[in-house]
């Protein structure tokens, strides 16, 4: 798991940018407008996301269109999956234990 991915997503504005880009690729100006940020600030956040490999830029005439790269997010999901499985297993055991207590107290 790439620590740079977590670091990039830890900042709320960058996470908001990723949320916006889930729907569609967007130019810098539109991202800035939707998040009520100025363009230089937005560009700085996009640079960090780009360096982390989370977004990529596609030049289109005089505009720069940003889109998500799925690989870092898929990598994060795979890493989190091991924790999900562990917690699901623990919750299943807890459920079994509570059901046993309930049956013991009901019977």
């Amino acid at each position: 798991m790439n620590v740079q991915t977590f670091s990039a997503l830890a900042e709320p504005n960058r996470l908001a940018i990723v949320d916006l880009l889930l729907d569609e690729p967007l130019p810098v100006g539109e991202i800035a407008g939707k998040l009520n940020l100025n363009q230089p600030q937005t560009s700085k956040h996009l640079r960090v996301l780009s360096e982390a490999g989370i977004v990529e830029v596609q030049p289109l005439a005089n505009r720069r269109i940003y889109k998500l790269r799925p690989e870092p997010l898929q990598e994060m999901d795979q890493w989190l999956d091991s924790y999900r499985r562990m917690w699901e297993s623990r919750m299943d055991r807890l459920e079994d234990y509570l059901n046993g207590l309930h049956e013991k107290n009901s019977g």
Side-chain angles (χ1 to χ4, degrees):
M1 180 63 242
N2 189 342
V3 175
Q4 192 176 15
T5 302
F6 278 113
S7 179
L9 295 174
E11 204 284 330
N13 287 315
R14 291 194 286 265
L15 191 55
I17 290 170
V18 169
D19 284 342
L20 277 179
L21 295 177
L22 283 173
D23 295 330
E24 62 182 325
L26 295 169
V28 178
E30 203 169 322
I31 294 168
K34 288 183 179 207
L35 295 179
N36 204 21
L37 299 171
N38 63 43
Q39 192 138 350
Q41 190 179 20
T42 304
S43 292
K44 180 181 173 189
H45 289 307
L46 286 165
R47 185 172 47 254
V48 172
L49 291 170
S50 181
E51 288 170 359
I54 298 169
V55 300
E56 65 184 23
V57 63
Q58 297 175 324
L60 183 64
N62 62 342
R63 295 170 23 155
R64 297 171 62 80
I65 310 297
Y66 284 85
K67 72 175 196 172
L68 285 179
R69 291 187 64 247
E71 296 85 3
L73 301 174
Q74 290 167 341
E75 195 177 298
M76 183 183 293
D77 184 55
Q78 289 170 355
W79 181 78
L80 288 170
D81 193 50
S82 62
Y83 292 93
R84 259 187 235 111
R85 286 192 310 268
M86 175 190 65
W87 282 108
E88 286 172 0
S89 171
R90 289 182 181 185
M91 294 305 283
D92 288 344
R93 287 196 311 266
L94 176 61
E95 183 180 24
D96 292 344
Y97 174 75
L98 293 175
N99 285 337
L101 283 179
H102 179 71
E103 288 172 10
K104 182 179 173 182
N105 291 333
S106 298

